[in-house]
Amino acid sequence: QVQLVESGGGLVQAGDSLRLSCTASGLTFSNYAMGWFRQAPGKEREFVAVITDSGQTDYYADSLKGRFTISRDNAKNTAYLQMNSLRPEDTAVYYCAAKRWGYSRKTTAYHYWGQGTQVTVSS
């Protein structure tokens, strides 16, 4: 079966950096766009970034451009989210998701989801 496993979350201070990883199994990774989403307590899950199946194109939530970078290594079946200059408002559970046939900013468009990794940024 398909599994997406996130890792790399943790407790950091404002201004620090973290790199999240999402390792996939049970699917042909290079056929899927990979997205990152996050959900803070009491809020809806929101789009963070997406990278196309080839890795040639990426898109970001406007508020995160310049601080977050998405990437992927198809040989390792892994997607990454580099997060710099973290702020307390970045505190959330971060999820990766896989989508076949194009990319999207909508949670409902994704076929597979990971279990999430907690990122907590203290001030």
Side-chain angles (χ1 to χ4, degrees), residues 53-73:
D53 51 7
S54 66
Q56 290 187 334
T57 310
D58 50 31
Y59 300 91
Y60 298 88
D62 289 343
S63 61
L64 300 176
K65 285 180 183 177
R67 292 198 300 126
F68 288 17
T69 303
I70 190 171
S71 61
R72 66 190 295 159
D73 185 338

Side-chain angles (χ1 to χ4, degrees), residues 27-88:
L27 52 71
T28 303
F29 186 71
S30 59
N31 287 348
Y32 287 78
M34 296 300 297
W36 285 95
F37 295 79
R38 67 184 185 183
Q39 188 166 17
K43 295 189 176 181
E44 291 188 352
R45 194 169 298 189
E46 65 175 359
F47 169 76
V48 172
V50 61
I51 188 165
T52 55
D53 51 7
S54 66
Q56 290 187 334
T57 310
D58 50 31
Y59 300 91
Y60 298 88
D62 289 343
S63 61
L64 300 176
K65 285 180 183 177
R67 292 198 300 126
F68 288 17
T69 303
I70 190 171
S71 61
R72 66 190 295 159
D73 185 338
N74 284 351
K76 295 182 178 180
N77 286 3
T78 301
Y80 304 97
L81 184 68
Q82 177 68 42
M83 305 185 295
N84 297 330
S85 302
L86 283 162
R87 304 168 181 171

Side-chain angles (χ1 to χ4, degrees), residues 98-120:
K99 183 187 182 305
R100 191 73 195 272
W101 301 296
Y103 63 91
S104 176
R105 296 170 181 251
K106 298 180 179 179
T107 58
T108 54
Y110 285 76
H111 299 94
Y112 303 107
W113 289 84
Q115 82 290 347
T117 185
Q118 176 71 48
V119 172
T120 303

Side-chain angles (χ1 to χ4, degrees), residues 4-32:
L4 302 179
V5 180
E6 301 98 335
S7 60
L11 172 63
V12 297
Q13 293 187 334
D16 286 351
S17 297
L18 274 178
R19 188 175 81 156
L20 306 183
S21 299
C22 171
T23 300
S25 60
L27 52 71
T28 303
F29 186 71
S30 59
N31 287 348
Y32 287 78

